[in-house]
Amino acid sequence: MEFRPCIDIHNGKVKQIVGGSLNGTLARENFVSDQDAAFFAEFYKFYGLKGGHVILLNGVGTEGYEDTKKQALSALRAYPGGLQVGGGINPDNALEFIEAGASCVIVTSYVFKDGRINYEHLDKILSAVGRDRLVLDLSCRKGADGQYYIVTDRWSKFTEEVLSIRLLKELEKYAAEYLVHAVDIEGKASGIEEGVAGLLGRYDGIPVTYAGGVHSDEDLERLRVLGRGKVNVTIGSALALFGGTMRWEDVLAVCR
């Protein structure tokens, strides 16, 4: 189980927000940093951590996007090859982020279009960046039937696609990794979504990173068990780095 750090950017500021609360320039905030995105990139570089993700939380063309993009690019340039980037990525802008230093681009909404997988779009982004530079974000929310559905557009829209072993196996030939936020508990530091963690633990394929609800060493150990030691983890609001209670050094020690 590897630790994958994060830099979430909204309105040009590094933040931690409550998952599913995002509405344009508004969101329920857990933490707003006085430091810029490059500071965190250099911090992660110092510790030699790779595969972390920079997420642009403003939509392309909306208020605040340009400030957020500027911060994201500065982080990628500060740690070339060390960070992935997501948020409004498509074939037209993907190469700009890769040329700035992103190891991979993270894609959801462009591929999961109108509630289903759009294979034409998937082929286009694959042609633009290549499989080794593509991470598919399969972030999900629980439906009324108890299944976990992929969500898009900053986690606001349910698709018809269910997170399942079948889906993970079907899409793995297109991507280098998966990123999966358990959106219902994202930013709430309330414990992991065990249904999601257990499902990911049963999958044998490309690397997977889980995000959502981790707020203690016990949560990390539970994720290790359910994920069978192969599911990577990212932690945001619960870290002391972002105003939480989990010490950075302790998290690294547990993951290693």
Side-chain angles (χ1 to χ4, degrees), residues 209-220:
T209 297
Y210 168 90
V214 175
H215 75 302
S216 67
D217 290 351
E218 290 74 19
D219 287 333
L220 280 178

Side-chain angles (χ1 to χ4, degrees), residues 42 59 69 150 164 182 213:
E42 290 166 356
K69 179 181 176 182
I150 310 301
S164 64

Side-chain angles (χ1 to χ4, degrees), residues 76-225:
L76 299 175
R77 291 174 182 133
Y79 190 8
L83 298 165
Q84 304 167 0
V85 65
I89 302 295
N90 59 60
D92 295 327
N93 63 15
L95 289 180
E96 180 181 4
F97 291 101
I98 287 175
E99 289 169 358
S103 62
C104 297
V105 293
I106 306 167
V107 179
T108 306
S109 298
Y110 179 75
V111 168
F112 292 87
K113 203 72 174 174
D114 299 322
R116 304 297 305 222
I117 301 171
N118 186 314
Y119 284 97
E120 181 181 351
H121 281 197
L122 186 53
D123 287 336
K124 284 181 178 179
I125 191 68
L126 188 66
S127 296
V129 302
R131 179 177 181 268
D132 291 343
R133 289 185 177 275
L134 182 60
V135 174
L136 289 178
D137 185 333
L138 305 181
S139 295
C140 58
R141 304 181 80 162
K142 184 180 283 189
D145 59 0
Q147 298 188 94
Y148 294 98
Y149 289 84
I150 310 301
V151 289
T152 65
D153 298 276
R154 280 144 213 89
W155 304 335
S156 64
K157 294 181 181 178
F158 277 78
T159 72
E160 299 175 28
E161 302 289 350
V162 175
L163 183 68
S164 64
I165 301 298
R166 179 199 63 77
L167 183 70
L168 293 168
K169 297 300 291 184
E170 179 182 346
L171 295 178
E172 65 184 15
K173 61 180 175 288
Y174 295 96
E177 296 187 18
Y178 293 127
L179 172 63
V180 182
H181 291 80
V183 175
D184 291 324
I185 57 172
E186 175 71 17
K188 297 181 179 178
S190 57
I192 66 172
E193 186 76 65
E194 296 197 355
V196 174
L199 187 154
L200 298 179
R202 295 192 299 275
Y203 166 68
D204 291 307
I206 62 176
V208 181
T209 297
Y210 168 90
V214 175
H215 75 302
S216 67
D217 290 351
E218 290 74 19
D219 287 333
L220 280 178
E221 187 56 37
R222 186 61 177 154
L223 179 61
R224 187 198 305 279
V225 171

Side-chain angles (χ1 to χ4, degrees), residues 225-242:
V225 171
L226 290 171
R228 301 181 184 183
K230 58 192 176 182
V231 176
N232 301 322
V233 62
T234 187
I235 306 172
S237 299
L239 285 178
L241 186 65
F242 296 122

